[in-house]
Amino acid sequence: MMRALVALCVRHSGAVTALTVLALLLGSWGALHSPLDVFPEFVPTQVDVQTEAPGRLNRSRSWSRSPSRTP
Protein backbone atom coordinates (compact mmCIF):
# COMPACT_ATOMS: atom_id res chain seq x y z
CA MET A 1 0.00 0.00 0.00
CA MET A 2 2.75 2.46 0.96
CA ARG A 3 4.80 1.41 -2.06
CA ALA A 4 1.88 2.30 -4.35
CA LEU A 5 1.37 5.66 -2.62
CA VAL A 6 5.05 6.59 -2.93
CA ALA A 7 5.07 5.52 -6.58
CA LEU A 8 2.00 7.67 -7.26
CA CYS A 9 3.61 10.68 -5.58
CA VAL A 10 6.85 10.22 -7.52
CA ARG A 11 4.95 9.88 -10.80
CA HIS A 12 2.96 13.06 -10.14
CA SER A 13 5.63 15.08 -8.36
CA GLY A 14 4.52 18.35 -9.98
CA ALA A 15 0.97 17.97 -8.69
CA VAL A 16 2.20 17.00 -5.22
CA THR A 17 4.47 20.09 -5.16
CA ALA A 18 1.63 22.36 -6.33
CA LEU A 19 -0.75 20.99 -3.70
CA THR A 20 1.90 21.39 -1.00
CA VAL A 21 2.51 25.04 -1.96
CA LEU A 22 -1.24 25.65 -2.07
CA ALA A 23 -1.69 24.14 1.40
CA LEU A 24 1.21 26.26 2.70
CA LEU A 25 -0.29 29.46 1.26
CA LEU A 26 -3.79 28.72 2.57
CA GLY A 27 -2.43 27.86 6.01
CA SER A 28 -0.36 31.05 6.14
CA TRP A 29 -3.32 33.17 5.07
CA GLY A 30 -5.53 31.50 7.69
CA ALA A 31 -2.95 32.05 10.43
CA LEU A 32 -2.54 35.73 9.54
CA HIS A 33 -6.29 36.41 9.40
CA SER A 34 -7.42 34.45 12.46
CA PRO A 35 -8.63 36.46 15.46
CA LEU A 36 -6.10 35.89 18.21
CA ASP A 37 -6.42 36.99 21.83
CA VAL A 38 -2.86 37.73 22.84
CA PHE A 39 -3.67 39.65 26.00
CA PRO A 40 -4.23 37.58 29.15
CA GLU A 41 -7.24 37.94 31.40
CA PHE A 42 -6.37 40.14 34.37
CA VAL A 43 -9.58 39.36 36.24
CA PRO A 44 -9.54 36.10 38.19
CA THR A 45 -12.07 33.52 37.10
CA GLN A 46 -15.31 33.70 39.06
CA VAL A 47 -17.69 30.80 39.45
CA ASP A 48 -21.34 31.18 40.42
CA VAL A 49 -22.80 27.92 41.68
CA GLN A 50 -26.58 27.75 41.81
CA THR A 51 -28.09 24.85 43.70
CA GLU A 52 -31.52 23.85 44.88
CA ALA A 53 -32.45 23.16 48.49
CA PRO A 54 -35.06 20.38 48.21
CA GLY A 55 -35.61 20.14 51.99
CA ARG A 56 -36.38 23.84 52.32
CA LEU A 57 -40.14 24.34 51.89
CA ASN A 58 -40.67 27.77 53.44
CA ARG A 59 -39.21 30.16 50.89
CA SER A 60 -40.18 33.34 52.75
CA ARG A 61 -37.66 32.83 55.58
CA SER A 62 -34.07 33.83 55.02
CA TRP A 63 -31.02 31.79 55.92
CA SER A 64 -29.75 32.24 59.45
CA ARG A 65 -26.20 32.18 58.10
CA SER A 66 -24.62 32.31 54.69
CA PRO A 67 -25.11 28.96 52.89
CA SER A 68 -21.55 29.09 51.57
CA ARG A 69 -19.98 29.11 55.05
CA THR A 70 -19.52 25.95 57.05
CA PRO A 71 -20.10 26.08 60.84
Side-chain angles (χ1 to χ4, degrees), residues 37-54:
D37 186 14
V38 295
F39 299 107
E41 294 281 336
F42 293 111
V43 179
T45 304
Q46 297 179 356
V47 177
D48 185 20
V49 178
Q50 298 179 359
T51 61
E52 295 182 17

Side-chain angles (χ1 to χ4, degrees), residues 13-42:
S13 62
V16 171
T17 303
L19 288 174
T20 303
V21 170
L22 179 66
L24 180 67
L25 291 174
L26 287 175
S28 298
W29 182 85
L32 290 174
H33 289 88
S34 65
L36 299 176
D37 186 14
V38 295
F39 299 107
E41 294 281 336
F42 293 111

